[in-house]
Amino acid sequence: MRHFPSRFRRLDGALADLPVEQPMLLTELDGFLTGLLVCPEAVPSHEWMTVIWGTEADGIPPFEDPVDVQWFSNAVAARRNEIARDLDRSKLQPILDIDERDGEILWEYWVDGFGEAIALRPETWDALADSPESAAPWSRLARLIAIARNESELDSVEVNALEGQAMTELIDAVQLLYTARTRLLGAQSPTPPATMLTKVGRNDRCPCGSGKKYKRCCD
């Protein structure tokens, strides 16, 4: 892993330690959270947190210590809020892995994570094709997703040309979609920062995102 801040390295390690068959990489999580923020329809936190720590967990955070649940939830929320601020400033800075052998940017993993967010509301994303403001950037993004999944109908020359400018295309398309979403929902930010409650009642929903009452979950 590159020389990321310690908070990112710790989150990456926590993801790798999740007891699921294929845990998310940090770059996949980053793409996933970005996709949630750009999604035309808000997705409840308990739903998307389950995607992160695996459906095998049946909605229950797979940690033995409640402190670890709180830390993990807070770490994910902090990165989500950071991405939202970058999008608001039109300065998206994805977390990307780099192939240490040749320095190639492995943008496909980030796109895989973004695709996980799309899979939560596919019809909503497909509807972007009918929007005058979103149709073009959505088409560009869908084209890159198809390349990342080896599902593109373009020939090898066209694919190589797009791969050479993939990150520029990706960031630009995502930023345009986010801007269109913000305009559609009004001047107020459509995705208020995610926060974790510091004091939770025993009958309140647990802040870990499980959807259960606190007394039945992390109390």
Side-chain angles (χ1 to χ4, degrees):
M1 189 177 184
R2 287 190 295 157
H3 299 295
F4 288 123
S6 59
R7 61 192 176 92
F8 287 164
R9 294 198 299 272
R10 184 181 177 188
L11 181 55
D12 184 59
L15 288 166
D17 289 339
L18 289 175
V20 296
E21 185 175 346
Q22 291 185 320
M24 282 187 177
L25 301 171
L26 179 62
T27 184
E28 289 178 302
L29 173 67
D30 202 64
F32 179 65
L33 295 175
T34 305
L36 293 171
L37 289 164
V38 178
C39 182
E41 178 183 338
V43 181
S45 60
H46 68 84
E47 183 178 345
W48 56 261
M49 282 299 291
T50 298
V51 175
I52 295 173
W53 52 47
T55 54
E56 296 93 335
D58 293 326
I60 302 174
F63 301 94
E64 294 182 0
D65 192 335
V67 173
D68 291 334
V69 177
Q70 189 71 46
W71 175 85
F72 186 84
S73 299
N74 285 347
V76 170
R79 179 53 189 162
R80 179 181 179 276
N81 293 343
E82 193 171 48
I83 296 169
R85 289 193 296 270
D86 288 344
L87 286 167
D88 284 335
R89 295 194 297 257
S90 297
K91 293 183 178 180
L92 180 63
Q93 301 180 63
I95 294 177
L96 301 166
D97 280 346
I98 294 179
D99 191 328
E100 297 180 356
R101 299 169 298 178
D102 55 17
E104 180 183 359
I105 297 176
L106 304 175
W107 59 273
E108 295 90 345
Y109 293 124
W110 191 93
V111 168
D112 284 342
F114 198 102
E116 290 278 359
I118 292 176
L120 292 175
R121 298 290 187 276
E123 298 85 1
T124 302
W125 286 90
D126 288 340
L128 293 178
D130 299 323
S131 167
E133 193 171 8
S134 301
W138 170 235
S139 177
R140 292 163 61 190
L141 181 59
R143 185 168 52 187
L144 289 170
I145 292 173
I147 291 175
R149 294 175 174 175
N150 293 317
E151 298 173 351
S152 176
E153 296 181 356
L154 300 176
D155 60 42
S156 58
V157 174
E158 293 172 311
V159 168
N160 290 336
L162 278 172
E163 286 184 330
Q165 56 185 6
M167 281 316 304
T168 300
E169 275 284 293
L170 189 64
I171 291 174
D172 189 50
V174 168
Q175 192 67 62
L176 286 171
L177 288 172
Y178 181 77
T179 300
R181 182 187 194 275
T182 303
R183 288 175 180 170
L184 179 65
L185 298 180
Q188 185 177 3
S189 175
T191 50
T195 56
M196 302 306 297
L197 297 175
T198 55
K199 190 172 184 179
V200 186
R202 297 186 74 244
N203 287 313
D204 293 338
R205 284 184 177 275
C206 186
C208 73
S210 68
K212 299 177 181 294
K213 289 187 178 181
Y214 182 59
K215 66 182 179 181
R216 299 290 186 184
C217 189
C218 299
D219 188 3

